[in-house]
Amino acid sequence: MKNELYQSCTLCPRECHADRLSGKKGACGENSVLRVGRAALHMWEEPCISGTRGSGTVFFSGCSLGCIFCQNRELSYGGLGKEISEERLAEIFLELQEKGAANINLVTGEHFVPGILEGLTLAKEQGLTLPVVYNSSGYEKPETIRLLKGSVDIWLPDFKYWDDELGLRFSGVPDYRERAMKAIDEMACQTGACVFDEEGYLRKGVVVRHLLLPGHVKNSREVLRYLHDTYGNRIYISIMSQYTPLSKELPFEELNRKVTRREYERLLDYALELGIENGFFQEGEAAKESFIPDFNGEGV
């Protein structure tokens, strides 16, 4: 199956049909060989994912979306990362478990799903018991998500844009909203309502992240309205304010500043008006600075 899926690749909505198996790079910027930039305990996810133990986070190289404001741009389209085998990926999962991780957290791995599945299968055969988190941009195909059924316990997608014009301007895709809606629906169908253990860690369910962009509160309000109207308390919504401008000035003026406290407060007030109860928000320093890992190959 792995060879077939990489040979004329349609794993992501861009459906570039690149023969990644022969070494060609797809729209994601990657061939079929797994590439990872960091594998370590990560303390900066939502409390029910990182907690005090940390999330066993594996950052994959490449990305099928390619946001102009990406905070992990050195990894997503900057060429960083080390090539590894599926066997080594399985070892990494087990090493993270030995370090006390609360879960295995797969960051931006949609273009490596066949290899990830092989790594998870090998690791589970050797004793991996942790819940698996799939951490993604939300720009996904339901068909690819279905491949992960039974292998992923927790879905952690973004829902970035309600306004498709913003998706086209900032991420180069004309259909982000529709893709995210269908992807999240498949995720929610697979897991049902969120389930927590006695320590407060999420064991199963969906947490949808939304990053407020400067100057685009209206876009954010529409995302929250849709998610709450559609799923109610079946999912959790993480409302994020940590947008960090790139050092290089972007061609969109509003993206060259941070989100103001007033903008974020307006969005939180709207969330309360909607009646959102299952959610996370950022406060204090977490809302002022974004923790961007050093992709130095740690744990790889």
Side-chain angles (χ1 to χ4, degrees), residues 29-241:
E30 299 295 320
N31 58 32
S32 63
V33 181
L34 292 167
R35 210 152 58 94
V36 174
R38 187 174 190 264
L41 298 181
H42 193 59
M43 305 303 298
W44 291 73
E45 307 288 33
E46 284 72 11
C48 64
I49 294 175
S50 281
T52 57
R53 292 162 57 188
S55 180
T57 308
V58 181
F59 289 88
F60 292 92
S61 302
C63 180
S64 59
L65 188 57
C67 302
I68 194 171
F69 53 81
C70 180
Q71 296 176 9
N72 295 345
R73 57 196 176 277
E74 292 181 338
L75 193 66
S76 58
Y77 48 84
L80 288 186
K82 179 182 178 181
E83 291 188 350
I84 62 170
S85 66
E86 286 77 8
E87 290 77 12
R88 175 57 190 146
L89 182 62
E91 291 175 355
I92 288 171
F93 294 155
L94 293 167
E95 288 165 6
L96 290 169
Q97 179 171 262
E98 290 174 6
K99 290 176 181 177
N103 43 60
I104 297 297
N105 189 344
L106 310 169
V107 181
T108 317
E110 71 279 352
H111 48 291
F112 286 130
V113 161
I116 287 172
L117 280 170
E118 187 171 328
L120 284 172
T121 299
L122 291 170
K124 288 178 180 180
E125 289 172 352
Q126 298 172 58
L128 180 69
T129 59
L130 296 178
V132 175
V133 181
Y134 186 81
N135 186 334
S136 80
S137 70
Y139 192 64
E140 306 270 354
K141 290 177 63 177
E143 296 90 338
T144 302
I145 293 167
R146 289 187 197 111
L147 294 174
L148 293 158
K149 187 174 182 178
S151 296
V152 168
D153 306 284
I154 299 162
W155 300 95
L156 188 61
D158 292 339
F159 196 137
K160 296 178 184 290
Y161 313 113
W162 184 260
D163 184 345
D164 276 335
E165 184 180 342
L166 295 183
L168 188 59
R169 291 170 65 201
F170 300 156
S171 298
V173 295
D175 55 351
Y176 181 90
R177 177 174 65 185
E178 179 183 359
R179 294 294 190 174
M181 289 167 66
K182 290 181 178 179
I184 291 169
D185 197 56
E186 174 62 28
M187 295 171 184
C189 286
Q190 285 191 24
T191 66
C194 292
V195 175
F196 298 84
D197 66 17
E198 63 279 358
E199 295 181 81
Y201 287 104
L202 186 61
R203 301 291 298 185
K204 184 185 78 166
V206 178
V207 178
V208 180
R209 288 173 164 173
H210 176 70
L211 176 66
L212 172 60
L213 296 174
H216 293 291
V217 175
K218 181 180 178 182
N219 174 70
S220 295
R221 286 165 62 109
E222 291 299 317
V223 169
L224 297 191
R225 180 194 56 76
Y226 168 76
L227 291 172
H228 184 64
D229 287 352
T230 305
Y231 300 105
N233 289 329
R234 290 169 55 204
I235 67 170
Y236 274 68
I237 303 173
S238 182
I239 307 172
M240 305 167 73
S241 64

Side-chain angles (χ1 to χ4, degrees), residues 11-44:
L11 286 169
C12 86
R14 292 188 184 271
E15 298 187 335
C16 66
H17 289 278
D19 184 0
R20 296 172 58 199
L21 192 64
S22 69
K24 293 182 180 179
K25 294 183 178 180
C28 58
E30 299 295 320
N31 58 32
S32 63
V33 181
L34 292 167
R35 210 152 58 94
V36 174
R38 187 174 190 264
L41 298 181
H42 193 59
M43 305 303 298
W44 291 73

